[in-house]
Amino acid sequence: MIKVPLKWSVEHETILRNLFLNITQNNLDRKDNADKLKKIETTLLDFSIKLNTKYKKLEDIDLDKHKELANRQMLKVKNWASKQFDYIETTKDTDITKKINNNAKFRARDFKGTYYSTFLNEIVSEDSEYFQWETMGDNRVRDEHMDRELEIYKFEDADLLPGEDPGCRCWASAYFPDEWEMPN
């Protein structure tokens, strides 16, 4: 078997976190978020396609599937941004900025994790039957995720995927058959 680590990108998470904070600031300033939302979609696509190219040639990747995955995630992001705007408009909270900025940071990781787990479930599992659970290995890892560290799961039997729990920083290393043709 060929093991391919599909660790999420700190670079992409940083971009997402900054975009979510920009949306929060735009909501506070009552500005449009269309350009920020487009950048989030582009970042998600770049993230999943780059991971997919770790085990598949770009010309063999179903880009429409990635776009559909990103579009579904973007509906959730737009809903979050809209609810945040409504909250800002109706709250009497005087410490609103700190609270919504903290929420934006958490939501960026959460949306990235949801996108990642869906990517594993809908794209990677088509080519790989098994994955190994990987954690950051630090004191912030949930006990139940630490218990999964280095365990091997079958995609179709897994009760949980890395990234699925809110704020999860775990990732998967996928296994491919020895005869799998890896990209150069």
Side-chain angles (χ1 to χ4, degrees), residues 90-104:
T90 60
T91 189
K92 295 182 184 353
D93 191 340
T94 56
D95 197 23
I96 184 79
T97 303
K98 182 178 178 182
K99 288 179 182 176
I100 62 174
N101 280 334
N102 285 337
N103 176 266

Side-chain angles (χ1 to χ4, degrees), residues 24-87:
T24 295
Q25 190 59 52
N26 282 355
N27 282 344
L28 284 167
D29 296 340
R30 291 157 184 73
K31 292 182 182 175
D32 184 64
N33 282 312
D35 62 326
K36 305 298 185 235
L37 292 167
K38 186 65 183 159
K39 286 179 184 176
I40 289 174
E41 182 178 22
T42 302
T43 302
L44 291 173
L45 282 169
D46 186 61
F47 169 68
S48 62
I49 291 169
K50 279 185 178 174
L51 280 180
N52 211 173
T53 60
K54 287 188 173 193
Y55 68 89
K56 224 175 194 179
K57 294 177 184 168
L58 186 58
E59 59 268 17
D60 296 331
I61 292 174
D62 184 349
L63 297 177
D64 288 336
K65 196 165 204 168
H66 284 269
K67 289 175 186 173
E68 191 267 323
L69 186 75
N71 285 335
R72 280 188 285 150
Q73 188 66 15
M74 287 309 299
L75 291 174
K76 295 174 186 176
V77 173
K78 288 173 184 176
N79 185 42
W80 165 80
S82 175
K83 284 183 177 179
Q84 185 189 63
F85 182 81
D86 291 346
Y87 177 73

Side-chain angles (χ1 to χ4, degrees), residues 9-37:
S9 158
V10 173
E11 173 192 349
H12 287 100
E13 186 171 328
T14 301
I15 292 168
L16 289 173
R17 184 183 65 241
N18 289 336
L19 287 167
F20 274 68
L21 287 169
N22 290 156
I23 287 172
T24 295
Q25 190 59 52
N26 282 355
N27 282 344
L28 284 167
D29 296 340
R30 291 157 184 73
K31 292 182 182 175
D32 184 64
N33 282 312
D35 62 326
K36 305 298 185 235
L37 292 167

